[in-house]
Amino acid sequence: KMKSASRIVAGVCKGTICSRTSTRATMATRNISNGTIAQLNVAARNSTSCAVPRTIGTGTAIVSNNDKAIISRQSSKSFATASDAQIYNSSSHHNTDANARLDRLKNDDSDYLLYDIPVGEMTYPDRSLAHRAMVAWQRTKSIEGAYLVQQILERLVEEDEAGNHRMADITARLYSIALKAWAYSGDDHCGQRAEAILGRMDERYRKYSAFDSSNASHDFEKARPNTRCYNLVLHALSQCREPDAAVRAEQLVQKMEEMSKEPHSTVSPQTSTYNCLMNTYASRIGEYGIGQKAEDVLLGMAEKNKDGIYEIHPDTTSFNIVLKAWLHSGEHGFESAKRAEQLLRLMAKLQQSGHDYVRPDSISFFTCFKAYTKADDDITKFDVVERLEGLIDLMEETGASGDDVTRCFNLAVSFIGKSGVDDAASRIERVVDRMRNSTTLHLQPASFQTKVSILDAEEKDGRDKAEEAEIILKDMIRDRTTHIHTGRELENDDVLLNDSIAFGTLLKITLKSGGAERGDKLLAMVEEASHKAPSLAPHKSHYHMVIDAYSKSNEKGSALNAFKLLKRQIKCFEEGNPRSEPTGFVYSHVITQLARSCAPAAEEKAYEVLMLMQTLSQQGNTDVVPMTVDYNCVIGLLGKVGTKSAAEKALSLFRKMEAEAEAGNVNVQPDVVTFSSVVNALGRSRHSLAPKVAVEMLRGVIEKEAFVDEAFFRHMIWALCTSRELKDVDKAYELLLDISGGTVDENGVNGVGARVAVDNAQSCNAVVNAYASFGQGTQAAAKAQTVLVDMVTKYRKGEIAALPDKYGFEVVIAAWSHSKDLQAMRNVETLFRLMKELHGHGCPNMEPDEQTITRAMPVYSNFAMQEGVVDRARKLFEQITNPDKKMYDSYLNLVAKSREPKKHQHAKAIVDEMRAASSSIDVGTYNIVLNACAFTSREEDKEGALVLANELFSEMRRRDECDCISYGTYIKVIRKCIGDEGIKRETAIQELLQESKRRGYMGHMVLKELKYEYGEQKMWDVLGIKGEHDVPMEWRRNVRKAPKQRPRRNRFC
């Protein structure tokens, strides 16, 4: 009784209290008292209200006991639970509850069968449950399902070997389920697994039939291998990827042929047997000779049928498999397609002779069409188009039916459009007309794929089809989102593939005719529609097409648009579209676009993309691995920013590359571009680490004997020139002499072991500028000029190949402008003569121009009070053919500071010359002339200076060109040019004072001149205020603050 009750609780009533643990549940049940078992049995038969919880995973389901009352050990059909019986018997609810029943059979019942039932104690309901669980798992067509089917089968075999023959009931059908599970599992080695099961089946049968034939209670004939089992193994061999699968299939068929000759044999080759063998050949895609092998088998089938073996006869499926073999054959595409067409026409001829079982169907024609579309070489394209049209004629003659008929027309339209034949558009129109007007073929309306192919062909004729492409896409979206489609249809691989190809073609047309932004718009439409129609989910190739179009676009903001599109692609993937997962190529492509662009904050976005690549790579995504070129692009972008934070990011990336390279990652090995970009980033930002890092990298390059370019050394020199220590600048000069001089071998390799270019003018300029900036006044200028002259001397002797250009000379000239040395002008004139000599000897870009002379003017201005300085400056000024405003102002300022007689007239002459040259005259120019009038030294010149100042200031008022400097300077003119005894001076000053208050120009210079005029205390009394801090804002509202003086920087770094 205890054992019986245990089986009821653990077996028949599994849905009541059975847990997944195998032994514990059974042993716990056996410890229940007899009274409790009796109560359970009574409740199972009679109770309609009691319910017992069943543990499933972590949740609990309630099954009422009246469901269990249906279960009976003597019933003709047994079920594990009453719910299974209701599902089986109720046809109205069969489809609705099928998924729930399948899940229950696949999960909990499999665990119960494999672990909860002791060997030898299986019951009839358990056996029924095992059979149904095997079928349920077999229908999943998965590797997991095949494994579980095989485990359940082995569990039944264990039960049988334990002596429980009636409950195990091992039959050939159970083996067939296991073989079918592997055949349709998709496993690469499903053929071996199926052969192993068949081998064990045959071995077990022969073993027990030989030694246990007297056992009447055990019918071993039911488990004897039959034709179906062998055919399923053949099918598994046709689906696996094992290289010797075809050879093993041949051996298996040969074995079946030998077994069929034995008496009472259950194995006899049939049509399906040879079909499986031919399918094994046809599945070897790209293998040479498979088409001929399959055709030989087909001819052999015909010979056997002719010899009287009528169960073997080629049918439509047989011919279709041979057509598939020719499609996948490794021979030349056009020749294989012609063989397939010959076979297809043979089918049509046999059909006309009355052999309707070989009637070509839509699959036959579609396979032949597909074979011709593979023959895409330029020589046979025209012939292929002609043959496709001939196949359409044959298809109409035979009246082929099936869904693939429309696909045949789609293939023909697509191939003709891509073929490039001259009359492609007209041929497509004829094919479409035949689709619409055909009376023998049952065709569906023209699909979107057909419309897209037609549009593609028309676009190749040079027509703009961007708008029509958008219309077709909108129709496709409307069809997929508004019409009633089943879930399987929208998730079907063919639908996904067709919609993806169609959209890809529409996108290509749009990008070619309408540009990247219009293609981006189409992609956004598809993204939004894919939430309702999964078949429209964009593929990663669609994103790549638009991003690539942005890279080829010259429109502003294309790089930022590509970055935004990448972010959308990532979001689409994260929302559940695995087809849109970005690859490493697209990440790198976006980084490259950002590196080439001048987009704002491009370095931040490129850095973000690189960090995302690093994260994905660390998470195990092998498709997204940052490469050296990605790091170089981002470091280069950071170097262009010129800030210390950007330079530190660049240095951090470089250190990470070094660490990864030392760990064995060859993909991020720093190269010369990396070294150069990092040093450039540090040098541009004037980071304190720039010289140290430059020396470190230079040492590493020399130790590795790496070949570097001129840019690398230029950045090294620039970084050293940013140092605040003179020894680093000296090191930069030494490095410059090394790479510009010394012996160079036939490969262009010089003394430092590096292949460099000889044009290092910018590096020379940087060294000269570093010396000019190192120190102040005469010392810095003299050192810079010494280095400059030393370079010129070495260049003339041929010791170095590099020479500073005009900008290097201008640096030294500008340095002399900060010196009070009386020899400064002579040194500048020496530099001018040296520049002219070098220009005369063929040195390009060396002739002094207006910019050079403009830089020299401040040097003369420093000594403007000396006699003859204006004349010396005038000689330089006259060398310029068309002086600009800056040049005029520099020379005018020199004249204003001088002590030459009638300098106000000279200043006026310069202004008149500016007007004649149509040079702009602004408030700065006027102020310089007013200043010249104010500092007129001779008494006889003051009256003329005052007149000129009055005229200029009146002109300035009319043109509204006055500022606070103008008022202060004009007051100075009045103070200097009008005597103390006159009332005219006081009146003029008061008028200017009131006007400056009214116009808001009461600036510092006005107050300074009033202080000189009245004294500090009287000035505040005149103004009516107590001090400078009491000056009303209304009086100084238009006074501009003086700009802050920026520190001098090395303009070449």
Side-chain angles (χ1 to χ4, degrees), residues 350-361:
L350 291 172
Q351 177 200 356
Q352 293 174 357
S353 303
H355 302 284
D356 200 54
Y357 53 86
V358 292
R359 177 191 182 96
D361 57 8

Side-chain angles (χ1 to χ4, degrees), residues 71 80 785 1016:
I71 302 174
Q785 183 157 338
E1016 186 173 1

